[in-house]
Amino acid sequence: MTRKKILGSHVKRLLSGVAVHGRRHLNEVETDLLQTELLLEEAIEKLTSSFMAIHSAVGARQEAIDRLLAGEKPSAEDSARLSDMSGEIGQHVNTAITSMQFQDMTSQLIDRTLRRVAGLREFLGTLSEHGADIAPETDSEEIVERLGKVSMALAIQSLELRTILRKSVEQHHLESGDIELF
């Protein structure tokens, strides 16, 4: 095989490896961002529902509260409704707090995404560092050797990044125990 063909096959293998590793990590970034979006949508939906339920519970008892403020004696029904109101509102507040805990999971996803992007930046920096020393007059054997080193360094960086970021995102949910997202 000629030097030119050997060099060409090494360049092709390096570029192919960079593309595969880069795509894999970008797919993970995309997955984390989609999970973050879903968590935020669910949390906002639950928060909205909880606050509307609190508003409804207070509104439903407002007439009885107005009668009490006017000095009237509450009916037995009014007393029962007002007694139940505290528990009902407490339940809606607990649901709202649970929804706010999704913030912790989204923070973990965003942190993982940022670390993955930083890893990709390092990955590309490795390419830049090794490529900067290759001059047009560098002989093909030295280029092949450098490409082999770059390929090995990139494979190690990619594996380290995947290993570090493989952890699942977890949250301790107030009302139903642990949640493990993935």
Side-chain angles (χ1 to χ4, degrees), residues 20-63:
V20 167
H21 293 301
R23 259 194 306 278
R24 183 180 303 136
H25 291 297
L26 288 174
N27 285 339
E28 293 295 330
V29 167
E30 184 178 35
T31 298
D32 285 352
L33 290 173
L34 289 171
Q35 284 291 341
T36 302
E37 181 182 36
L38 291 173
L39 282 171
L40 288 172
E41 284 176 9
E42 183 179 344
I44 289 168
E45 196 175 289
K46 285 183 176 185
L47 280 171
T48 301
S49 175
S50 295
F51 289 125
M52 293 305 293
I54 290 169
H55 175 71
S56 177
V58 171
R61 278 54 170 208
Q62 190 61 47
E63 286 181 24

Side-chain angles (χ1 to χ4, degrees), residues 150-170:
V150 172
S151 290
M152 183 61 72
L154 293 176
I156 290 168
Q157 281 180 318
S158 182
L159 181 61
E160 287 173 349
L161 185 61
R162 277 197 324 261
T163 302
I164 290 170
L165 299 176
R166 191 170 287 156
K167 297 174 181 89
S168 65
V169 175
E170 298 177 356

Side-chain angles (χ1 to χ4, degrees), residues 93-167:
V93 167
N94 283 340
T95 301
I97 289 170
T98 300
S99 298
M100 288 187 283
Q101 286 183 321
F102 281 101
Q103 183 272 336
D104 179 50
M105 289 170 38
T106 58
S107 290
Q108 289 178 54
L109 284 167
I110 289 169
D111 179 60
R112 187 165 69 184
T113 300
L114 291 173
R115 287 188 298 167
R116 190 173 296 282
V117 168
L120 283 169
R121 187 177 296 114
E122 287 178 29
F123 194 76
L124 295 173
T126 298
L127 269 177
S128 178
E129 286 172 24
H130 284 46
D133 294 337
I134 298 175
E137 58 276 354
T138 305
D139 79 13
S140 58
E141 286 180 22
E142 185 180 343
I143 291 174
V144 167
E145 183 181 327
R146 285 179 186 261
L147 291 176
K149 288 179 182 177
V150 172
S151 290
M152 183 61 72
L154 293 176
I156 290 168
Q157 281 180 318
S158 182
L159 181 61
E160 287 173 349
L161 185 61
R162 277 197 324 261
T163 302
I164 290 170
L165 299 176
R166 191 170 287 156
K167 297 174 181 89

Side-chain angles (χ1 to χ4, degrees), residues 64-82:
I65 293 169
D66 289 343
R67 284 194 294 277
L68 284 172
L69 292 174
E72 295 178 26
K73 184 173 171 130
S75 68
E77 184 180 311
D78 287 341
S79 293
R81 282 185 175 170
L82 289 172

